């Protein structure tokens, strides 16, 4: 994205981009929420320009799962989870 943000020219200023469509996927087991994921639609990436109006959309998708409520935090102990710079778990808790 960095190269695309300034056309690959390091002398040009970076342009800000924002995802306008997000999907919250909520996994539940009976009456308990077990997992929540937030994803962005790559096709919704638009340049944020001063004075422009941007419409944002959020979709919520509910999925039944067999995962047990007591093991819902196991995924956050997985090493692969911590490879990301942004920890969505922290964002959801704030």
């Amino acid at each position: 994205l960095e190269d695309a943000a300034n056309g690959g020219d390091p002398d040009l200023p970076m342009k800000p981009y924002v995802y306008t469509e997000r999907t919250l996927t909520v996994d539940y087991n009976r009456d308990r929420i077990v997992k929540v994921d937030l994803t962005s639609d790559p096709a919704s990436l638009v340049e944020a320009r001063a004075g422009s109006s941007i419409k944002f959309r959020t979709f919520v998708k509910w999925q039944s799962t067999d995962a047990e409520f007591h093991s819902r935090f196991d995924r956050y102990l997985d090493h692969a989870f911590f490879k990301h710079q942004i920890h969505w778990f922290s964002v959801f808790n704030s």
Side-chain angles (χ1 to χ4, degrees):
L1 180 61
E2 184 175 312
D3 290 338
N6 64 1
D9 187 341
D11 295 327
L12 292 177
M14 296 290 292
K15 297 177 184 177
Y17 285 82
V18 64
Y19 289 101
T20 59
E21 293 186 10
R22 306 265 182 159
T23 300
L24 276 172
T25 303
V26 182
D27 288 9
Y28 65 93
N29 185 338
R30 293 182 294 273
D31 63 344
R32 299 231 170 149
I33 292 175
V34 177
K35 178 174 77 169
V36 178
D37 285 320
L38 178 67
T39 56
S40 302
D41 180 359
S44 75
L45 190 63
V46 298
E47 183 180 349
R49 296 180 179 169
S52 67
S53 177
I54 300 174
K55 181 187 278 189
F56 292 92
R57 298 185 337 162
T58 302
F59 303 95
V60 180
K61 180 178 167 185
W62 294 88
Q63 297 181 152
S64 179
T65 182
D66 292 332
E68 293 295 329
F69 182 75
H70 69 271
S71 63
R72 68 193 181 281
F73 286 101
D74 291 351
R75 69 185 279 202
Y76 303 113
L77 301 175
D78 183 17
H79 176 68
F81 175 77
F82 290 101
K83 70 179 179 180
H84 305 288
Q85 290 182 339
I86 298 174
H87 299 283
W88 290 115
F89 180 64
S90 300
V91 173
F92 285 133
N93 282 328
S94 62

